[in-house]
Amino acid sequence: MDKKRDTFSSRLGFILATIGFSVGVGTLWRFPYICGEYGGGLFLLTYIVLMFVVGIPLFSAEVSLGLASRKSPVGAYRVLEKPGAKWHIAGYFHMICIVLVIGYTIPVYGWILHYIYATAKGTFLGMDSGQVAQYFTDFSANHVLVFGFIMVNVALTALVVKNNLQQGIEKIAKVLLPSLAIIMGVLVIAGLRLPGAAEGVKFIFTLDFDSFSLAGVLTALGQTFFSLGIAMAVAMIFGSYQKEGEINVVKNSVIISVSVIFVAVMASLMIFPMASAFDLEMASGPGLTFITMPNVFNEMAGGRIWGTIFYIGFFIAAFSSGIAGWEAVMAFIMDQFQVSRLKALWVTFVLVMIIGVPALFSDYMFNLFDMLTNNVFLILGSLAISIFTGWIWGMDNMARTCGFSKDTWIYHFLSVMIKYISPIIIVILCLTLFGVIK
């Protein structure tokens, strides 16, 4: 083990930091609107099943690769692959994926910060739904203003990740995650008390089989990868940060996955009951958070306060995710080039801007980076983790790393899921995306 390598101070630190990464933009922003688009309850059920069938096994596999190697992705594959093999190339796919994610999503961070300010100021008071929608269109097109808010987020991120692991991400996660839980709980209770909120709850938990489709299943699978951050390098790097002798990999993965599911349900309970209470569209796509919700808060008593709290909670989740992504890139740079944390921070900043600035100024580039992340690097990276763990490094090595016996049901379950089920599902997803299967 590298004596200079940072480690989490405790198992709790690892769990909170990893949950912080997983409950960010992917869960609080992306999950509710795609859940709305694909019919609510049945999509949620499909997502939960896939989390247990594919998510937990692959997440456990990725963490175990980091724990066994004590390296970031490229180094992890180099340590664990056979001499002369080229599996370490997959590590670069993981790193490209996380750079794309933290880069192309930075406009969203700018939007959130602005909406905290705008809501607290009362900007949306008196606006009708058309004016709220136009406000978002005009603001998101004001690239200079959005960039200013992005730089505020970058500065806050740098203040955290410039510190070592325990004093940076782990310390802030222990503050932000409980704060987020309180804010979400308060908002859920406030929403459920509104007349008409029951329709929103029904939408979340009713199984509408008419809305069932292969596209919905594949979207739920993609959301499983995205929300857990599978193949985005963070799980592998955070696995390498765990203390020597950690054997709770699978148990930790279950805790983290269940927590992510819980946050997804809470995010839905925050949004859909409020939307239904005021007869607003729940299947409104990416604009759900920035267009539908301001209309909700305009109709609520004390909506200015509730709205401000909502966007603060949203930013806490996004910020927790962002700092974890930055830490992953910095860890890779420090491992590969043996540079200081401060130098790695500056290099990460440059990489984020190379992706983020084009994504901010061009919708085409934003959509291109989103497509490359979800349809190329995320899928190929997940397939690499599945095949490498199941067939190359081997399930026996994973079992020894994770501390469970070959005679247990966990071993047999993970073996089937990682070696067979996950690759088959991922290949089907690839064939569907490229139009081979319709």
Side-chain angles (χ1 to χ4, degrees):
M1 178 179 172
D2 186 353
K3 298 297 183 182
K4 296 181 180 180
R5 192 168 190 80
D6 278 344
T7 60
F8 289 106
S9 66
S10 64
R11 179 185 172 200
L12 178 63
F14 164 78
I15 291 173
L16 289 177
T18 309
I19 291 173
F21 172 68
S22 298
V23 300
V25 172
T27 301
L28 255 71
W29 174 56
R30 193 171 188 266
F31 180 86
Y33 83 70
I34 61 173
C35 183
E37 287 181 344
Y38 288 96
L42 190 57
F43 180 87
L44 174 60
L45 178 62
T46 305
Y47 171 70
I48 292 172
V49 171
L50 288 172
M51 285 285 280
F52 282 90
V53 171
V54 177
I56 291 173
L58 287 186
F59 188 83
S60 299
E62 186 171 354
V63 171
S64 68
L65 293 176
L67 181 59
S69 65
R70 297 290 174 181
K71 300 290 183 182
S72 54
V74 175
Y77 284 108
R78 284 189 188 277
V79 168
L80 302 177
E81 70 187 4
K82 294 178 181 178
K86 301 296 182 181
W87 276 96
H88 59 274
I89 294 173
Y92 291 106
F93 275 74
H94 301 324
M95 296 315 306
I96 292 171
C97 187
I98 189 60
V99 170
L100 285 172
V101 168
I102 63 176
Y104 91 86
T105 58
I106 60 171
V108 182
Y109 292 78
W111 300 343
I112 300 168
L113 278 173
H114 175 76
Y115 268 60
I116 294 173
Y117 165 77
T119 306
K121 185 182 175 184
T123 301
F124 303 110
L125 296 177
M127 289 186 181
D128 59 30
S129 58
Q131 290 172 320
V132 170
Q134 188 61 47
Y135 181 89
F136 177 70
T137 300
D138 294 341
F139 164 69
S140 59
N142 188 340
H143 301 133
V144 174
L145 179 58
V146 176
F147 185 76
F149 282 100
I150 287 171
M151 294 310 296
V152 172
N153 176 68
V154 168
L156 293 172
T157 300
L159 286 174
V160 175
V161 298
K162 71 179 179 63
N163 299 308
N164 63 33
L165 185 69
Q166 293 184 21
Q167 292 301 311
I169 284 181
E170 182 175 351
K171 188 174 183 179
I172 200 74
K174 291 178 178 178
V175 175
L176 293 184
L177 267 294
S179 300
L180 176 62
I182 292 170
I183 288 173
M184 293 185 75
V186 169
L187 287 170
V188 167
I189 293 171
L192 292 177
R193 289 169 60 88
L194 295 171
E199 283 301 311
V201 176
K202 181 180 177 181
F203 177 77
I204 299 168
F205 296 111
T206 298
L207 302 182
D208 178 11
F209 288 94
D210 291 336
S211 66
F212 186 81
S213 66
L214 179 60
V217 175
L218 294 175
T219 302
L221 179 62
Q223 179 63 25
T224 299
F225 290 150
F226 199 92
S227 58
L228 281 178
I230 295 170
M232 290 186 191
V234 174
M236 197 179 299
I237 289 170
F238 280 12
S240 77
Y241 283 158
Q242 291 187 91
K243 287 188 172 182
E244 195 168 10
E246 173 61 54
I247 59 172
N248 292 301
V249 173
V250 178
K251 186 182 294 185
N252 291 345
S253 298
V254 172
I255 292 171
I256 291 164
S257 300
V258 170
S259 298
V260 171
I261 293 170
F262 176 75
V263 172
V265 173
M266 290 290 284
S268 300
L269 285 172
M270 263 195 329
I271 293 173
F272 293 130
M274 289 185 182
S276 69
F278 299 107
D279 199 27
L280 295 169
E281 181 59 53
M282 289 181 278
S284 55
L288 179 65
T289 305
F290 298 105
I291 297 174
T292 301
M293 293 312 293
N295 284 299
V296 169
F297 298 126
N298 274 347
E299 298 292 334
M300 287 179 66
R304 185 171 169 182
I305 296 173
W306 291 120
T308 304
I309 293 172
F310 173 82
Y311 288 110
I312 289 173
F314 192 10
F315 180 72
I316 288 173
F319 186 71
S320 300
S321 180
I323 58 176
W326 279 62
E327 175 67 30
V329 178
M330 289 170 59
F332 168 74
I333 294 168
M334 289 187 287
D335 279 357
Q336 288 293 111
F337 304 106
Q338 301 300 305
V339 299
S340 68
R341 175 171 283 270
L342 185 59
K343 288 181 179 178
L345 172 58
W346 279 109
V347 174
T348 302
F349 170 75
V350 172
L351 292 173
V352 170
M353 290 298 109
I354 288 173
I355 302 299
V357 171
L360 169 63
F361 284 88
S362 168
D363 289 342
Y364 171 80
M365 295 304 295
F366 183 95
N367 293 327
L368 175 63
F369 293 142
D370 182 70
M371 183 277 294
L372 289 173
T373 299
N374 292 285
N375 295 356
V376 179
F377 293 105
L378 206 59
I379 293 173
L380 293 180
S382 299
L383 186 62
I385 289 171
S386 179
I387 294 174
F388 183 80
T389 304
W391 297 97
I392 309 301
W393 183 48
M395 295 303 302
D396 289 356
N397 284 321
M398 180 180 172
R400 277 192 291 271
T401 301
C402 298
F404 57 83
S405 169
K406 291 171 59 177
D407 300 324
T408 61
W409 71 270
I410 295 177
Y411 178 88
H412 296 296
F413 173 76
L414 291 178
S415 294
V416 171
M417 293 302 137
I418 292 172
K419 295 176 70 173
Y420 303 105
I421 303 301
S422 293
I424 290 171
I425 291 177
I426 293 169
V427 169
I428 291 173
L429 175 60
C430 289
L431 294 176
T432 304
L433 288 171
F434 290 105
V436 179
I437 298 176
K438 296 182 180 179

